[in-house]
Amino acid sequence: MALILDEEQQLLKDSAKAFLSENFPVSALRAMRDSGNDHMPELWAQMSEMGWPGMVVPDAYSGLEFGYVGAGVVLEEMGRTLALSPFLSSAVVSATLITKLGNEQQKEALLPSIASGELTAVLAADESGHYNLDEVATEAKASDGGFAISGSKRGVIDGHHADVLLVVCKNDSGSGVFAIPSDSDGISIETRLIVDSQRAADITFTDVFVGADALLGELGGADEALDFTLDVAAACSSAEMLGIAIESFERTVGYLKEREQFGSKIGTFQGLQHRAAQLFAEIEVTKSAVLSALQALDADSEKRSVLASMAKAKCSKVVRNATEEAVQMHGGIGMTDEFDIGFFMKRAAVCRQAYGDYHFHADRFATLRGY
Amino acid sequence: MENLDQFRAETREWLEANCPEDMRQPMRSDEDQCWGGRKWVFQSEGQQLWLERMATKGWTAPRWPAEYGGGGLSGGEAKVLKEEMSRIGARRPLNSFGLDMLGPALLLYATEEQKQQYIPDIINGRIRWCQGYSEPNSGSDLASLRTKAEDMGDHYLINGSKVWTSYADKADWIFCLVRTDFDCPKHEGISFMLFDMASEGVSTKPIKLISGSSPFCETFFDNVKVPKGNLVGTLNKGWEIAKYLLTHEREMIGGFGLAGGGLKPLGQLAASTRGTQDGRLRDTSLRAEAISFELDEMAFGLTIERITDETKAGQGTGASSSILKMYGTELNKLRMELMMAIGGTDSLNFESDRTGALVKSWLRSKANSIEGGTTEVQLNIIAKRILGLPA
């Protein structure tokens, strides 16, 4: 497969860019924050009208079945304007897990409404703060023909807005995933404001009773689907980070061409030129990493996991560098709240930690490569 | 979309039948490469057969037009050929500056007669070329070169000297930048000429490097007569050809950043040499460095692929050769550093046996980010030509 976007993917990218930059530029994030909100329901409504929540949902369940490269290009453009939506958490990650793991009935029940955007789901997996699923302690005890779920999940972004929680549990047979309505008895949710103005939910389950039909797949049989879902989450959040890196870089280069000090444009200084050029090369290399990881998901290639972890690790590093250099090269104004560039660094910090950080994916990459 | 299945099947069959066994073995060092030319002594019968057979098919230059002896393959077919060669571990039949640098420039700028005269001999490896670019006081600032060519009516008379001329002592011909006009801005007044290194007045002197080897020479021209017909392109407009050729040189050198065929991935090499614990490299600091290197190495390899695919699709990004040159050479230096760390004190051995090859490759790699335009020059090019930062 050629390592470029095909015509349809390019069209989608162009229209996502036009839509987001016109309707939800970075100022929309600022307005949301300043009015005390933590999400953008209006954006989600409009994305839903365009059918985007069905991006990776199979056609048989009213989705677009457009694939992960499609999801990636939308996320890249969302990264450019820092638009907030449950697109990654619900439409991409949750839809993937349900598609991989659910039975016919469960897919019928959940996927069409995820694809339409009416219903949002979120993966509640991590308890360690480091996406370490080996440390999951949330338990599913057999009870009255169903299960009683007890435990707690940590830092679930948007967890308090989701309708359905996909809860990863452990018992003697291994791990299982339960689809649980977020308003079920026994669930308590506390939220924390996080650095990019979103909220993360800490969710406690106290003997939450669910019927047997809430279990996706079988107890002990979720590992493979969770692994695939991790690849999807890693590659797609990489695409979002790529967008953040590109946008903050372009804004910075623009600033280098305008700002004058010592009687000349600061972009004439070789010290800054070389750092910008170096960063440009890193971003070019990162583009290839992201696209190859997304394509490998669509092809279900055996290199999928190596590429996904490579992309997540590489993007985490490069977006850190790009946002740090952006603030540094903007100088004093880059440190002010009034100026937008700091927003990119904040969102990047959240994306870098989501679904496993640099160290997590670097370790996974090496382990998969035999060392 | 062309159907490549049949081409793949035929290519596979042909390679199986025609690639000699010893040409399928990983190269032990750079000395196993075949460079061709009038002075070349084949190291084995297999090496000679392999070059002859591949050249007959034009597959030493798979994408060049068949009318000059090239393979005439499409981009897709060339990719298949590369994949099939790497499948059996086949070595490159011919390493050559004619193939990697001069040829593409001739195809674009030379007259029909010149193409007929020079290109077939590049493809079949009969003539080995060297590059006369840098001069003693014109390194990174290449356009300040002063070797001059005077118009003597029926020929040009060349006087001056070059430096860092790779393999000048082994080459048959040189493609050379000369100044044909001194009364104009430095980028104008440069011409691109070809001449025989056996011409009277040409002499070379190898430069011994820190690695102990001498891939580069000083090259002197003392009243060298060059026929008028050996000028390529327009008089005084050679800088355009020089730059075009440099993009190919950069891509070639940048390609050093990729591990060649048969090399064990660095992390695995470290694991097998230094040991593992619970499946992880025991030396955790080395592991972290190996990971960081391999992430970049993999992403860089994919970038070469992406740029190739973009070019094929007509979406070329232009100055990408500077990115490849800069990134690939820095990567290769890091690879050699880590190989030395993995090798430990044994890797310091400077004697020319098996282990001595590593330290010499390590030293040689330090030239990668200098030759063909330094890393700093590449960063200047990216900053000015791609990012449009002010001068």
Side-chain angles (χ1 to χ4, degrees), chain A residues 1-5 249 253 256-257 265-270 272-274 276-278 280-289 291-292 306-307 309-311 313-314 317 358 361-367 369-371, chain B residues 79 265-268 271 276 279-281 287-288 290-292 294-300 302-307 309-310 313 315 317 323 326-327 330 375-380 382-384 386-391:
Chain A
M1 195 187 323
L3 209 49
I4 48 177
L5 297 180
F249 178 70
V253 169
L256 295 180
K257 291 178 185 173
K265 306 269 191 241
I266 61 172
T268 59
F269 304 147
Q270 201 176 39
L272 297 182
Q273 287 186 346
H274 281 192
Q278 199 95 46
F280 176 77
E282 286 293 353
I283 289 172
E284 281 300 306
V285 166
T286 305
K287 283 181 187 171
S288 328
L291 184 56
S292 67
V306 167
L307 289 171
S309 281
M310 182 268 299
K314 183 71 191 160
K317 223 168 156 178
Y358 172 82
H361 285 283
D363 177 68
R364 186 170 182 252
F365 171 83
T367 307
R369 304 254 299 164
Y371 66 100
Chain B
K79 198 168 172 181
L266 191 99
Q268 280 176 31
T276 57
R280 290 180 170 86
L281 183 58
R287 182 171 189 257
I291 292 170
S292 176
E294 281 197 357
L295 291 172
D296 289 352
E297 182 193 38
M298 188 178 282
F300 176 68
L302 291 162
T303 302
I304 292 185
E305 210 178 299
R306 180 169 68 87
I307 289 176
D309 289 340
E310 280 175 356
Q315 319 169 348
T317 42
I323 299 171
M326 191 274 292
Y327 211 94
E330 294 298 331
T375 285
E376 290 72 19
V377 165
Q378 307 311 323
L379 291 172
N380 286 345
I382 296 170
K384 300 213 167 75
I386 307 183
L387 302 180
L389 289 171

Side-chain angles (χ1 to χ4, degrees), chain B residues 184-197:
Chain B
C184 55
K186 64 180 178 181
H187 291 95
E188 296 158 32
I190 292 173
S191 299
F192 192 94
M193 286 182 191
L194 314 172
F195 53 92
D196 195 323
M197 290 291 280

Side-chain angles (χ1 to χ4, degrees), chain B residues 224-289:
Chain B
V224 179
K225 284 185 185 174
V226 172
K228 280 272 173 97
N230 292 19
L231 169 75
V232 179
T234 314
L235 190 72
N236 295 331
K237 298 285 176 222
W239 185 246
E240 188 188 336
I241 307 176
K243 275 197 302 183
Y244 176 76
L245 192 144
L246 276 175
T247 62
H248 286 273
E249 181 180 15
R250 287 183 204 126
E251 281 170 24
M252 175 185 75
I253 298 172
F256 295 168
L258 292 176
L263 268 185
K264 208 172 193 173
L266 191 99
Q268 280 176 31
L269 178 73
S272 61
T273 315
R274 307 279 298 119
T276 57
Q277 198 165 10
D278 303 325
R280 290 180 170 86
L281 183 58
R282 201 194 316 262
D283 182 335
T284 52
S285 166
L286 178 60
R287 182 171 189 257
E289 280 205 70

Side-chain angles (χ1 to χ4, degrees), chain A residues 208-239:
Chain A
V208 178
F209 179 77
V210 295
D213 59 354
L215 173 62
L216 301 177
E218 284 167 23
L219 262 182
D223 289 346
E224 212 174 296
L226 281 169
D227 212 44
F228 186 88
T229 303
L230 174 60
D231 292 338
V232 167
C236 291
S237 75
S238 296

Side-chain angles (χ1 to χ4, degrees), chain A residues 4-21 50 52 55 66 69-81 239-240 242-244 246-247 250 283-284 287 290-291 294, chain B residues 306 310 315:
Chain A
I4 48 177
L5 297 180
D6 68 25
E7 210 173 315
E8 286 190 334
Q9 291 160 347
Q10 187 61 50
L11 276 173
L12 173 65
K13 187 165 193 282
D14 294 344
S15 66
K17 186 190 186 80
F19 166 74
L20 290 162
S21 60
M50 293 185 289
W52 289 356
M55 195 65 68
F66 197 82
V69 174
V73 297
V74 169
L75 281 157
E76 184 182 327
E77 295 306 326
M78 288 177 63
R80 273 181 171 260
T81 70
E240 187 175 357
L242 175 63
I244 297 171
I246 293 172
E247 180 69 21
E250 287 179 2
I283 289 172
E284 281 300 306
K287 283 181 187 171
V290 172
L291 184 56
L294 294 168
Chain B
R306 180 169 68 87
E310 280 175 356
Q315 319 169 348

